[in-house]
Amino acid sequence: MPARDVAVVVVAAGRGERLGAGAPKAFVKLGQRTLLEHTIDNISQMASVSRLVLAVPASHVLEATAMASASAVSTSIVIGGDTRQQSIENALQVIEPGTPIVLVHDAARSLAPAELFERVAASVRESGLATIPVMPVADTVKHVLGDLVLETVDRSSLRLAQTPQGFQAFELLAAYQSAGEDFTDDAALVQSLGGQIRHVPGDSRAFKITTMDDLAAAERLLAESTVLTPVTHPTPLVGIGIDVHRFSVDPEKPLYLGCLLWPGEIGLDGHSDGDAIAHALVDSLLSAAGLGDIGTQFGVDRPEYAGASGELFIEGTINLLSIAGFKVNNVAVEIVGNRPKLNPRRQAVEARLTELVGAPVTLAATTTDGLGFLGHSEGLAAVANASIVRLAS
Ligand code: CTP
Ligand code: MG
């Protein structure tokens, strides 16, 4: 089994103006799925990928997070910049130190197959040189000036560059650190600083989807090939968590719920900050992973957890799951009780928890029709359901 020594940066932050589909290009549908989902799927088939970094528009971070959580590769998401080069610069910030090889790929080359990524990575691994995939030029090429043809160019030494382009991480990082002007590809940037570039055969499926005609060509190609290469997803595991806290008799006690402070609301009692949503969420994740519950992992009555925030438990839990080789698909939480009213802040809670968990967290609320301790506003309950997946080792 080859080493997992490759980080793949996928740039998906462009506006897709030439495609003109009314959405950033990577988020436009090709068949049933977006261009970016196809790209992620193909990269997930690589044996040597260790991490994926997606540079996406700020407006599409949540959508990208959901896509990332459906893939079996550990994925980071960064916000792209004004140019392709700036998007890559942002992505390179989160590459783990010590990663040997980085491949940079356009999300717009959505049908580039895993074997192309492996071919480029193998060349970098074996030669130590930056490597790009290239295609021969099929048409006769002319040099023109105004409306006159000057000459026919000898095309035997010309090639069309594709992505993924591969580099030893240190070389690419150094190039980006000293990059002044904008280059159209990464090989040109590295070469401008004296780096040597190798080429390996490209793949016709790695063409860039720029216009509607390209999208139609990709649709045709996909229709021919999807039947042959079904995508396999690992089986998800589910978990459940419940937490109940009593409302405090102290009117000054602040309410922390869903890792947010709720001004004007009476707080919940508890050894920690009483954040029932955070605690139910943590139990659901630990239960899905077979890692016990919040009490067994954190000993919630231990002195160091007195007043501890929900964030602390969630971050600790995500860390435990990641060490144990799990990735979160999503978590759904429901609170049961009369107050606080959730609707006005639902999105804020969902956004905060989604950020902490690194996968979509959704929130619902209900009352008990006045029945029981929850109906009498003695306390608040939360129930959570988590779905996680074990990463391929
Ligand atoms: N890209 C990026 N950040 C930018 C610009 C481009 O991440 N600021 C990415 C695009 O998402 C794409 C790749 O770089 O995957 C190649 O760019 P291109 O094909 O030009 O895509 P767009 O810029 O989206 O398209 P257009 O130029 O038609 O607007
Ligand atoms: Mg562009």
Side-chain angles (χ1 to χ4, degrees):
M1 173 121 177
R4 287 191 174 269
D5 57 356
V6 179
V8 183
V9 167
V10 171
V11 275
R15 282 195 291 273
E17 271 162 11
R18 285 169 288 177
L19 190 62
K25 188 159 69 183
F27 296 85
V28 170
K29 285 263 173 75
L30 163 57
Q32 302 294 312
R33 331 190 58 213
T34 61
L35 294 192
L36 183 54
E37 283 171 302
H38 286 290
T39 308
I40 294 172
D41 268 354
N42 288 329
I43 294 169
S44 308
Q45 313 289 321
M46 288 175 68
S48 68
V49 65
S50 64
R51 170 159 292 274
L52 184 59
V53 183
L54 309 177
V56 302
S59 54
H60 285 68
V61 168
L62 269 185
E63 201 175 321
T65 306
M67 290 177 197
S69 69
S71 105
V73 184
S74 304
T75 304
S76 307
I77 291 165
V78 299
I79 295 174
D82 288 340
T83 62
R84 181 182 182 276
Q85 195 162 311
Q86 278 168 17
S87 297
I88 296 167
E89 218 170 297
N90 296 354
L92 292 179
Q93 312 284 326
V94 304
I95 300 276
E96 277 146 19
T99 304
I101 297 171
V102 178
L103 301 187
V104 179
H105 184 60
D106 293 333
R109 298 179 187 272
S110 308
L111 300 181
E115 59 259 33
L116 180 64
F117 287 79
E118 294 293 8
R119 181 149 71 236
V120 173
S123 161
V124 178
R125 203 177 286 123
E126 283 149 27
S127 70
L129 294 180
T131 302
I132 67 170
V134 297
M135 295 292 282
V137 178
D139 296 329
T140 298
V141 180
K142 304 287 185 185
H143 193 179
V144 299
L145 184 66
D147 60 0
L148 288 180
V149 172
L150 295 183
E151 59 181 348
T152 301
V153 180
D154 173 12
R155 68 178 187 224
S156 62
S157 67
L158 295 180
R159 299 289 183 274
L160 301 172
Q162 297 183 323
T163 75
Q165 301 194 343
F167 307 87
Q168 294 202 67
F170 77 86
E171 188 176 26
L172 187 65
L173 291 171
Y176 267 88
Q177 259 152 29
S178 54
E181 59 186 300
D182 233 46
F183 290 88
T184 51
D185 75 354
D186 306 285
L189 167 61
V190 167
Q191 197 159 34
S192 76
L193 295 161
Q196 247 194 318
I197 317 288
R198 249 187 126 210
H199 63 88
V200 292
D203 189 301
S204 60
R205 291 166 288 181
F207 72 98
K208 185 151 76 80
I209 299 169
T210 304
T211 62
M212 277 296 173
D213 281 348
D214 299 330
L215 190 63
E219 299 267 6
R220 286 192 296 275
L221 194 57
L222 191 66
E224 288 163 17
S225 68
T226 38
V227 241
L228 302 174
T229 54
V231 177
T232 51
H233 287 301
T235 314
L237 300 163
V238 298
I240 188 163
I242 297 181
D243 192 39
V244 181
H245 282 275
R246 180 189 294 275
F247 281 114
S248 179
V249 289
D250 173 3
E252 298 302 315
K253 172 112 189 172
L255 175 67
Y256 287 99
L257 203 56
C259 297
L260 295 184
L261 175 64
W262 295 67
E265 296 282 351
I266 292 176
L268 292 161
D269 280 334
H271 179 68
S272 63
D273 70 357
D275 187 336
I277 290 183
H279 299 172
L281 182 148
V282 162
D283 267 0
S284 72
L285 289 170
L286 293 173
S287 119
L291 291 172
D293 55 30
I294 194 167
T296 54
Q297 287 296 348
F298 301 105
V300 281
D301 49 0
R302 294 212 316 250
E304 65 266 37
Y305 292 121
S309 68
E311 273 104 336
L312 187 85
F313 295 120
I314 294 177
E315 279 163 6
T317 300
I318 296 301
N319 189 34
L320 285 170
L321 259 70
S322 131
I323 291 167
F326 292 105
K327 193 171 69 74
V328 182
N329 290 330
N330 77 304
V331 186
V333 188
E334 176 143 23
I335 56 171
V336 192
N338 296 332
R339 62 169 205 261
K341 289 290 168 236
L342 178 69
N343 262 337
R345 300 192 73 194
R346 183 198 309 269
Q347 281 186 345
V349 176
E350 288 181 341
R352 178 74 186 119
L353 295 175
T354 295
E355 181 185 27
L356 285 166
V357 170
V361 178
T362 52
L363 194 57
T366 188
T367 66
T368 61
D369 211 9
L371 293 172
F373 68 95
L374 297 168
H376 299 145
S377 295
E378 289 170 51
L380 186 74
V383 184
N385 235 277
S387 163
I388 66 171
V389 75
R390 188 187 288 282
L391 297 176
S393 51

